[in-house]
Amino acid sequence: MQDRIAKGLEAQFDNHRIVFWYDPAHEFRQAFDALTLDGVEKIEVANTEFAVKHRILREEPKRCFLLYRDGPRPADIDNWLLDIELAHGVFKSDQVAIWLADLGLPISFEDVVREHQEFFRAGRRMEKLKAALRGDDTKAKLRLRMLGVCAGADGDFDTVIEALLGEQAAGKEDCLRLIDRVGLSGFLWDQMERIFGYRANKPSIGDFAIALFKSCYQSAVGGEAKLAPEALVFFRRWKNNRNAEEAFATLSTEYAEALSVTQDLTKRDFRTLIEVDFFEEVDRAIIRALVHEVGNQTVAQGEVLNWIRQRRQSHWYGAYRDLYEAIGFAAEFQQAIAQVTLGMTSLAEGVERYAKSWFRIDQLYRKFIWRMQKSGQATLMRELFEQVENHYVNSYLLRLNEAWQTHVDGAQTWSASPIPAQRTFYREQVSEFRRRDQKVCVIISDALRYEVAEELRGRILSLDRYEAGIDPMFGCLPSYTQLGMAALLPNGELQIADNDSGTVLVNGQSSQGIENRKKILATGRKGDRTTAVKAEDLMALDKDEARALVRDHDVVYVYHNLIDAIGDKRDSEERVFEAAEDTIEEIVRVVKKLNGANANNMIVTSDHGFIYQHRPIEESDFSSAQVEGDVILFRDRRFILGHSLKGNHGLRRFAPEQAGLEGSVEFLIPKSINRLRRQGSGSRFVHGGATLQEIVVPVVKINKKRQSDTTAVEVEIIGSSNQLITSSQISVRFYQVEAVTEKTQARTLKAGIYAQSGELISDSHELVFDFRSENAREREVPVRFLLLRQADEFNGQEVILKLEERHGDTSHFREYRTARYTLRRSFSSDFDF
């Protein structure tokens, strides 16, 4: 108490030279006697008014005095010091006065403090309130700050309501009970009515919350909103607040049932719901509709991708991303299938056309299947999956490879000039760097199909200061691991061993295993320091060890195996597309690891590709041809090794010399996409044959630049000069100047309308500009801004539309672009804070 009195008096002396202290109940005598204030003279007034007056005005006119009267204040007519009292300050020593003094509030706030005394009895609440007060606070602002303390909210009225909604979601009422106990309930509901238009006979947070969801949903679907526009602005902010995600989701789920949202959605066209994300059931309804529409091909691909893009802003997008992505890939797949022509005049043209465009169908199919698998919604996606699978297998995979098989059957030797043969890889790719005395690292990923490598190229190219290009090679036959790996080494002669192992000899030496491959690598160019390492062993090296590896060798082969390891097993083959995604991530990390070890030139390639059909293989997909020959050495799903083999209508025979191989081992390959029966092995993931998917081998060349070469797209505000804002909302169009590419990347901006003082006076939008379309009109984004009531305070003034960009991963934003408008609305509100 003594300390509070001292602080209260010190606050008075900050503004006054003379302070009066009346003690009507004779309870502060000891406090007065014990009080010591620097630079202040204490005087007790006891029938000494004239002497006191002469001293403080004449004798010591600059000194500070505390004038204490032990008893009640005299009536004005009897108060000989009234003129001095009116000109200076009066210290009140009752509890309310002490609180006022402690908070630095003037006497005009006495009625507020007296009305809510229970609030001020807690020292912790007092400290929090004191920290929040500002010098220009009104009584309404004071009560608002008291609400914030009760609710544990730091901010304006919105944050108070967010906190109370959080309590509602958690099934608690602690803050609400405290607000009622300190007498702030009336103020709370008064502000709810003034700001949000919420009124009820028995107001409650639960009742307000359900009214909020209902009103905002009705407004979004074209109905009448019961609450004020301010409620929708608040709702959007709360919904998008990461700290409120759990509370929003809990209440949304509860009120979706109470408001019969599911039943209401059955009456609505999904197109009217694209911008609505107040309930999870909205996403489900949109997804069900899109699955049906895309499956029936009744919507255009461009529309589907645009709708999915808009849904990225949905609160629930993260939970349904895989489904949305799968639908988008299905739509792109359909368009690609509809537009494709599958003719060719030669093996070379077939490879060229596959590497230029046909691969994209395999890529889209893979992306669709992978996203569908990740979603875990096989039943929901069954209709669309059946449509995509049937088109992929029958309209593309089978037709393409039957057309291709005509040229395979007509080929006397296995070559497709001018497409380089896989076995020339070391001579034409690796040695080219060595001729220039440059080091090179080669990453060989088992079964890295061309379309997967093409996606990898895009990922690498999107990295700052990286260049990447891709070209096809003509793979060896049979397209299996031992031969493909051997062909990538320096070689003069390639020979399949005349036994049941399938091993391939390079210049008479086995190429099986990494130690043998190291020996063969050493024969490539005299004087070259060469080595080979497994990808996992490379990644386990520390920085110095990795640098030493690159420093001490001219050619480094890095062997990576994930796609083949997963796909070539019956129990895991259905996860091969997941393995393809993981392979891209892992190879990117290997590239970065090598670059960090000072490797500037890298090549990513593969031993072979593969065929994969997600649906279990039907009987018609197995070759009915009889395998005949004197000796069968090795048998797989897509090739047979042996002697004196006989070709027939279903099997193409190759002598070793036709395939550019030495020795006497012949092989048979089933035509088109047919499989051979083999006990115990998988049948959906296969390789070894001659299809384009198996034998078009990627060569991805990567090097590192010295200077940055990535930029973000530019964004402009369309038609923003000298415009007026005359209503509570305004529509603005934003334009992405160029299309997104690997090097010109997407940009995410925050948009809102601000007063010149910096106060946000509208709702705020996060906008993602990632359009890849070359059509300029398809890169426009319309946005509707709703003005807050605070905007009325700036009527007739210039306001600013700001586009802001986040600084890195921080919470700070920098101004990106602005446009100025004049706010000229014909109405105002009586909103007073």
Side-chain angles (χ1 to χ4, degrees), residues 403-569:
W404 169 254
Q405 187 66 43
T406 301
H407 301 286
V408 174
D409 288 342
Q412 293 304 305
T413 59
W414 188 243
S415 65
S417 180
I419 308 299
Q422 186 180 24
R423 66 177 302 169
T424 67
F425 172 77
Y426 197 92
R427 184 176 73 243
E428 295 191 5
Q429 303 292 345
V430 177
S431 294
E432 181 63 27
F433 286 99
R434 297 306 304 135
R435 283 191 286 271
R436 298 195 299 264
D437 201 30
Q438 293 177 333
K439 295 187 176 189
V440 61
C441 294
V442 178
I443 303 163
I444 302 172
S445 185
D446 202 325
L448 182 72
R449 191 160 71 171
Y450 187 89
E451 55 89 5
V452 182
E454 196 280 336
E455 184 179 347
L456 169 68
R457 178 205 63 85
R459 284 287 306 279
I460 297 292
L461 197 56
S462 69
L463 301 175
D464 193 25
R465 296 191 296 147
Y466 279 88
E467 282 188 329
I470 187 169
D471 291 299
M473 287 191 302
F474 195 55
C476 295
L477 278 186
S479 56
Y480 74 113
T481 298
Q482 288 93 325
L483 181 56
M485 290 294 183
L488 296 171
L489 296 166
N491 62 80
E493 295 181 353
L494 291 178
Q495 177 180 341
I496 298 174
D498 195 356
N499 55 42
D500 62 359
S501 68
T503 300
V504 176
L505 308 179
V506 177
N507 301 330
Q509 180 176 336
S510 171
S511 60
Q512 192 79 7
I514 198 165
E515 293 304 320
N516 284 326
R517 292 173 191 171
K518 283 183 182 180
K519 294 175 184 177
I520 297 169
L521 268 177
T523 67
R525 180 174 182 257
K526 188 175 181 180
D528 276 358
R529 300 167 299 169
T530 62
T531 191
V533 62
K534 291 182 180 180
E536 56 267 33
D537 294 335
L538 170 68
M539 297 306 291
L541 299 179
D542 63 28
K543 194 172 185 178
D544 291 337
E545 291 170 333
R547 286 182 172 178
L549 176 73
V550 173
R551 182 192 65 222
D552 297 340
H553 297 93
D554 304 307
V555 178
V556 178
Y557 268 40
V558 180
Y559 288 98
H560 176 269
N561 184 12
L562 183 59
I563 294 175
D564 203 66
I566 296 293
D568 215 19
K569 298 182 180 66

Side-chain angles (χ1 to χ4, degrees), residues 304-425:
V304 174
L305 297 184
N306 187 48
W307 291 328
I308 291 172
R309 188 181 176 284
Q310 287 179 271
R311 290 310 294 173
R312 285 192 221 161
Q313 306 303 315
S314 164
H315 181 86
W316 314 99
Y317 179 77
Y320 295 101
R321 177 179 179 178
D322 292 315
L323 284 170
Y324 280 120
E325 292 280 333
I327 293 166
F329 286 126
E332 289 188 81
F333 172 86
Q334 286 175 344
Q335 185 178 55
I337 284 285
Q339 295 176 345
V340 71
T341 56
L342 298 175
M344 68 202 82
T345 59
S346 66
L347 292 176
E349 185 187 356
V351 173
E352 288 170 352
R353 294 191 67 184
Y354 184 82
K356 184 177 180 180
S357 62
W358 292 339
F359 77 86
R360 180 65 175 155
I361 296 178
D362 290 303
Q363 195 175 73
L364 290 169
Y365 173 74
R366 170 174 61 84
K367 302 293 279 187
F368 166 76
I369 295 295
W370 175 63
R371 286 293 184 179
M372 183 190 72
Q373 287 178 303
K374 279 191 71 183
S375 75
Q377 297 292 331
T379 302
L380 172 64
M381 298 293 285
R382 182 179 293 121
E383 175 187 355
L384 187 54
F385 164 68
E386 292 292 340
Q387 194 254 20
V388 169
E389 184 77 8
N390 288 336
H391 276 303
Y392 178 71
V393 175
N394 298 318
S395 302
Y396 168 69
L397 191 62
L398 186 58
R399 281 181 54 211
L400 172 65
N401 284 297
E402 285 183 342
W404 169 254
Q405 187 66 43
T406 301
H407 301 286
V408 174
D409 288 342
Q412 293 304 305
T413 59
W414 188 243
S415 65
S417 180
I419 308 299
Q422 186 180 24
R423 66 177 302 169
T424 67
F425 172 77

